[in-house]
Amino acid sequence: QVQLVESGGGLVQAGGSLRLSCAASGNFPGANVMGWYRQSPGKERELVASVTSGGTSDYGDSVEGRFTVSRNNYKNTLDLEMNNLKPEDTAVYYCNLKRKILPRFNYWGQGTQVTVSS
């Protein structure tokens, strides 16, 4: 059974920083992607940042240059350093682990709230 546990959310003022962490436990094959997604009320869940097991990263347009994602394949952890936070970054942030080739899987964490006050 694979589990993803997020930590590090909270309340911060605009311009501030937060660091989110995700730890994956259980057995799963490589050639996968770990990522952070977010969802705010009335909006669809969107990609924040992701990293493949090979180290290739991808960022959503709205966070490029402000957020940095890092992955540790030995510890199965994924961190997201968020700088220069804006009120529009307010959302529930979800950790995701997925594999698009066989055997496919797609796991989600329970989410952690990030609130940025103006």
Side-chain angles (χ1 to χ4, degrees), residues 6 8 20 22 33 43-44 53 81 83 104 106-107 118:
E6 302 112 332
L20 303 183
C22 174
V33 183
K43 295 187 177 181
E44 293 187 354
S53 50
E81 184 71 33
N83 296 315
R104 298 187 185 96
N106 191 17
Y107 299 106
S118 57

Side-chain angles (χ1 to χ4, degrees), residues 4-117:
L4 303 176
V5 178
E6 302 112 332
S7 60
L11 173 65
V12 65
Q13 288 188 333
S17 299
L18 277 177
R19 186 179 183 91
L20 303 183
S21 295
C22 174
S25 61
N27 295 316
F28 49 89
N32 55 60
V33 183
M34 289 189 76
W36 286 99
Y37 289 75
R38 67 187 183 187
Q39 188 168 21
S40 53
K43 295 187 177 181
E44 293 187 354
R45 191 170 295 189
E46 63 174 356
L47 172 70
V48 177
S50 65
V51 187
T52 69
S53 50
T56 301
S57 60
D58 187 26
Y59 291 90
D61 290 341
S62 62
V63 307
E64 187 91 51
R66 298 188 296 124
F67 291 9
T68 303
V69 66
S70 58
R71 175 173 179 166
N72 186 316
N73 286 332
Y74 296 101
K75 296 182 179 179
N76 289 325
T77 58
L78 183 74
D79 292 335
L80 182 69
E81 184 71 33
M82 304 185 293
N83 296 315
N84 191 22
L85 282 159
K86 304 176 181 180
E88 51 264 41
D89 294 318
T90 296
V92 178
Y93 285 68
Y94 297 91
C95 182
N96 175 259
L97 172 65
K98 64 184 175 187
R99 178 180 160 102
K100 296 182 178 180
I101 58 175
L102 295 176
R104 298 187 185 96
F105 54 76
N106 191 17
Y107 299 106
W108 292 93
Q110 80 284 357
T112 185
Q113 177 70 46
V114 171
T115 303
V116 184
S117 63

